[in-house]
């Protein structure tokens, strides 16, 4: 239905049928936060919420962009004029992908694009990566560029880092491009090696809820960049290329070497322990001990709250309330400073937990949260 609507919107806008329709999902990160730009481990899975694009090629060096979700006309850009950080609107994400492809030497000569997305914006669920990946996949197909999914993810990351100016890691784009239905993606962000880990909560009588706090965040704002710079400084102080290179067993010795550099101690401790938590979750899922990942999620939230210091009152309230109401585990997910939390729960407890969270937000005077089930879904694909 979404594909049909986007196709019809394209025809209405541009007066011709599109050459195809593609989709790319948002993602939830089960565990592994702020480890991707430290060459570490992450474990996201794709959401059923997607960005969908109808696209046709042009050969005149013009890029036309339109979103059904924004009350605005068609944006018309000349490919030769695309330049990093020249655009602060939503169009920077698809335009950045075109720029990154051309900068890498790929012959993209223009396109007409009509988009819509059901991925909540600013909720820590990678709405921007979904926009980037759906455009990259469409152009890869239409211009027969022959790029692999991991290569598309790299180019989309470059678009976000350089063109948009947001210092994000590689996880979001790889998740959108490469996740598989019914699985979580165990990704080594250093070499981009991947393992699809079966993750079928319904078969085990559990659910994973996403609680969108409605507190908007933006990766391009300063705090995210400060954390990344702090991690890089910690790695330099310890004489390693990235914090991934500090073994968990050597963490205490590494922290002792940092002395009274309190910020470096906190950031290093989070990244090293978070990588360990990812590997622990992988082992538990592979051995069928899915319920046992709950305490690992809670420990991850405490680390993000206390060491990385990127939580907020709304996220903490979700975690505390959900756990008090019988959840198996809960933590914030995504870049932080707002966005969403995840809650692992038995099916029988879902309604009770949801009601408790909603009532706690009302009592605190917070905006009502949006709560929905996260089902591991397919990655980016052509729909028509």
């Amino acid at each position: 239905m979404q594909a049909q609507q986007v196709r019809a919107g394209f025809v209405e806008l541009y007066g011709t049928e599109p050459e195809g329709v593609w989709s790319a999902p948002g993602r939830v990160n089960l565990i592994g936060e702020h480890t991707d730009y430290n060459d570490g481990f992450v474990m996201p899975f794709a959401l059923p919420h997607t960005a969908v694009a109808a696209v046709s090629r042009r050969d005149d060096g013009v890029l036309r962009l339109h979103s059904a979700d924004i009350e605005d006309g068609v944006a018309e850009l000349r490919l030769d004029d695309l330049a990093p950080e020249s655009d602060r609107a939503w169009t920077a994400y698809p335009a950045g992908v075109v720029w990154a492809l051309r900068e890498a030497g790929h012959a993209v000569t223009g396109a007409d694009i009509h988009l819509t997305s059901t991925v909540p914006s600013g909720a820590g669920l990678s709405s921007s990566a979904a926009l980037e990946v759906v455009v990259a996949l469409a152009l890869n197909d239409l211009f027969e560029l022959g790029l692999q999914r991991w290569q598309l993810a790299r180019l989309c990351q470059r678009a976000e880092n350089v063109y948009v100016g947001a210092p994000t890691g590689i996880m979001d784009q790889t998740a959108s491009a490469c996740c598989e239905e019914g699985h979580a993606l165990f990704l080594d962000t250093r070499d981009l090696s991947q393992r699809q880990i079966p993750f079928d909560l319904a078969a085990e009588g559990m659910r994973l809820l996403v609680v969108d706090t409605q507190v908007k965040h933006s990766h391009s704002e300063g705090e995210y960049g400060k954390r990344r710079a702090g991690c890089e400084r910690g790695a330099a102080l310890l004489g390693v290329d990235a914090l991934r290179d500090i073994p968990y067993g050597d963490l205490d010795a590494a922290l002792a070497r940092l002395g009274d550099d309190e910020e470096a101690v906190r950031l290093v401790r989070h990244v090293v322990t978070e990588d360990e938590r990812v590997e622990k979750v992988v082992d538990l899922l592979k051995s069928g001990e899915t319920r046992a990942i709950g305490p690992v999620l809670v420990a991850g939230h405490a680390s993000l709250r206390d060491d990385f210091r990127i939580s907020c009152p709304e996220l903490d309230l979700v975690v505390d309330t959900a756990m008090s109401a019988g959840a198996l585990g809960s933590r914030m997910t995504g870049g932080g400073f707002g966005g969403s939390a995840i809650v692992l729960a038995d099916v029988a407890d879902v309604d009770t937990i949801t009601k408790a969270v909603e009532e706690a937000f009302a009592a605190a005077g917070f905006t009502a949260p949006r709560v929905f089930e996260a089902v591991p879904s397919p990655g980016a694909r052509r729909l028509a």
Side-chain angles (χ1 to χ4, degrees), residues 266-283:
R266 287 189 291 99
L267 298 181
V268 169
R269 183 166 54 213
H270 166 71
V271 173
V272 175
T273 58
E274 187 78 346
D275 275 335
E276 174 72 7
R277 283 186 284 272
V278 176
E279 294 189 284
K280 188 171 185 179
V281 167
V282 171
D283 290 341

Side-chain angles (χ1 to χ4, degrees), residues 134-268:
V134 73
V135 170
L137 183 62
L139 297 178
N140 187 51
D141 287 354
L142 290 175
F143 288 97
E144 298 180 342
L145 303 180
L147 295 168
Q148 300 297 310
R149 294 299 182 95
W150 67 268
Q151 293 173 304
L152 293 177
R154 276 286 192 213
L155 286 165
C156 289
Q157 182 199 16
R158 177 166 169 76
E160 187 146 351
N161 289 172
V162 180
Y163 195 90
V164 178
T168 56
I170 191 64
M171 174 182 65
D172 296 350
Q173 292 84 1
T174 306
S176 186
C178 301
C179 279
E180 294 182 4
E181 187 173 8
H183 293 75
L185 178 68
F186 177 39
L187 174 66
D188 181 335
T189 65
R190 170 163 281 170
D191 62 12
L192 296 189
S193 60
Q194 304 175 17
R195 274 193 280 162
Q196 300 287 346
I197 309 296
F199 191 53
D200 186 358
L201 292 175
E204 301 185 62
M206 288 176 281
R207 296 289 187 271
L208 191 78
L209 303 177
V210 174
V211 182
D212 177 4
T213 65
Q214 307 283 354
V215 178
K216 302 301 181 185
H217 72 152
S218 172
H219 281 166
S220 58
E221 292 177 0
E223 290 301 318
Y224 186 101
K226 288 178 184 177
R227 298 306 186 281
R228 180 165 186 164
C231 289
E232 292 168 352
R233 187 174 70 86
L237 289 171
L238 292 169
V240 293
D241 291 335
L243 293 182
R244 148 74 173 278
D245 296 314
I246 305 297
Y248 179 71
D250 296 346
L251 177 59
D252 288 344
L255 297 182
R257 288 168 56 198
L258 293 171
D260 59 359
D261 191 330
E262 186 260 351
E263 180 189 52
V265 166
R266 287 189 291 99
L267 298 181
V268 169

